[in-house]
Amino acid sequence: MRWLTEADTRGGLVPEEDLVVHGECGAVLPNLPDGAFDLVYIDPPWNTGRRQEARRLRSVPDSRGAAGFGGRRYRAEEQSRIGYEDTFADHLGFLAPRLAEARRLLAPHGTLYVHLDPRSAYRVRALLDELFGPDAFLSELVWAYDYGAKPKDRWPAKHDTILVYVRTPGAHLFRSEDVEREPYMAPGLVTPAKAARGKLPTDVWWHTIVPTHGRERTGYPSQKPEGVLRRIVQASSDPGGWCLDFFAGSGTLGAVCRALGRRFVLVDESPAAVAVMRARLDPPARAAS
């Protein structure tokens, strides 16, 4: 595995081993070769208009703190804080050249997944129709979860949208037999064999977020769960195939690719994101000297 900077990619780069590139994706992507990737997954900035931030806390003894187990008292102490500004004057203008590069980088059988806030998904879909062609639209996935605030004046927003486009309509890779199955909602309506095997997920995915104290948690804001990325990688890449995420954040795509025997290129301009990926993908116990 290699760790590169944006400058290292100038003049062209043909991936031969897993890569993490610290650089602005608009400058890095033109240096990657045409048609190199089975799969491009991105979770770009959503243009929410506010700062995205995550804090990592730990409990420390404090006689004046909140009561806990056994009558002991604790207070929360901040260990780290990671954040970024999520505001763009021209969100689509920012995304358009990068999505055009994504199309160039996809193999003829390749697939693009764009993970979005439902409030902006319809605008990005119009842009993708223009760049890929409306016939290249494959699916609109809805990832539903149950966490966070529950307003009383509207239906609580509890889903993300993932738009799926293919490089060549009708020629895309889709390994349905490799995708982890899920239980039937009414198993009594199918044969016992079908109930035992489960069914292929539909375009609505029920999956929890990354648990606050779970194994996957890195402390990076907007981190997505491995279970969601696992379905994507299983379906739309071959074993040994190359996958790309150029808004890599906490590196979830890389972690999933490594577990499933795929190769990956991750790009992010944030030093904090690269530090999180280094700790996650190349921890000290296994890091090269």
Side-chain angles (χ1 to χ4, degrees):
M1 181 171 175
R2 297 177 65 194
W3 299 80
L4 304 178
T5 67
E6 180 182 310
D8 295 325
T9 70
R10 293 171 189 160
L13 175 67
V14 178
E16 295 179 348
E17 57 185 311
D18 297 334
L19 298 175
V20 176
V21 182
H22 180 198
E24 204 285 303
C25 60
V28 173
L29 297 179
N31 300 318
L32 295 171
D34 293 356
F37 296 94
D38 286 359
L39 164 67
V40 177
Y41 165 87
I42 57 170
D43 178 17
W46 285 4
N47 197 31
T48 60
R50 61 181 183 271
R51 182 172 176 80
Q52 299 293 327
E53 193 167 77
R55 297 187 301 157
R56 178 170 285 182
L57 306 174
R58 66 173 180 174
S59 296
V60 297
D62 187 334
S63 60
R64 294 174 296 178
F69 181 77
R72 300 181 181 89
R73 292 188 172 272
Y74 301 87
R75 61 178 171 82
E77 181 177 274
E78 183 174 302
Q79 290 184 289
S80 62
R81 182 190 296 255
I82 302 174
Y84 60 88
E85 298 299 332
D86 188 20
T87 302
F88 292 82
D90 183 2
H91 190 228
L92 293 184
F94 169 77
L95 289 178
R98 291 157 177 82
L99 292 172
E101 282 293 307
R103 184 178 186 276
R104 179 185 65 81
L105 293 170
L106 283 172
H109 59 268
T111 308
L112 169 69
Y113 290 77
V114 186
H115 198 136
L116 297 161
D117 183 330
R119 292 171 294 183
S120 63
Y122 75 96
R123 298 188 185 94
V124 178
R125 179 169 176 176
L127 175 61
L128 288 166
D129 278 350
E130 181 179 337
L131 293 172
F132 280 69
D135 291 343
F137 172 75
L138 186 67
S139 298
E140 178 177 296
L141 302 176
V142 173
W143 168 37
Y145 44 84
D146 186 17
Y147 177 79
K150 294 180 172 57
K152 302 298 185 182
D153 60 346
R154 62 188 182 276
W155 302 109
K158 298 296 176 183
H159 80 275
D160 293 358
T161 299
I162 305 174
L163 298 177
V164 188
Y165 279 73
V166 300
R167 178 63 178 83
T168 310
H172 65 283
L173 176 69
F174 193 78
R175 302 174 62 93
S176 61
E177 293 304 310
D178 292 347
V179 176
E180 293 174 2
R181 317 290 282 190
E182 64 181 17
Y184 283 92
M185 295 182 70
L189 299 180
V190 299
T191 66
K194 280 189 174 182
R197 183 176 181 228
K199 68 180 182 70
L200 184 71
T202 68
D203 59 3
V204 178
W205 296 357
W206 294 90
H207 193 290
T208 186
I209 63 165
V210 180
T212 302
H213 301 292
R215 172 190 60 82
E216 294 180 32
R217 194 73 176 180
T218 66
Y220 193 81
S222 72
Q223 180 184 351
K224 300 304 184 291
E226 291 181 10
V228 170
L229 272 293
R230 189 177 301 116
R231 287 183 180 178
I232 291 170
V233 172
Q234 288 170 333
S236 297
S237 66
D238 278 322
W242 284 90
C243 303
L244 169 66
D245 182 352
F246 51 86
F247 293 105
S250 66
T252 299
L253 181 72
V256 169
C257 284
R258 177 175 285 175
L260 294 176
R262 271 67 165 179
R263 314 305 303 274
F264 61 86
V265 175
L266 308 178
V267 183
D268 206 291
E269 67 175 338
S270 164
V274 173
V276 167
M277 285 189 276
R278 188 177 289 276
R280 185 178 192 180
L281 302 173
D282 197 11
R286 295 189 291 108
S289 61

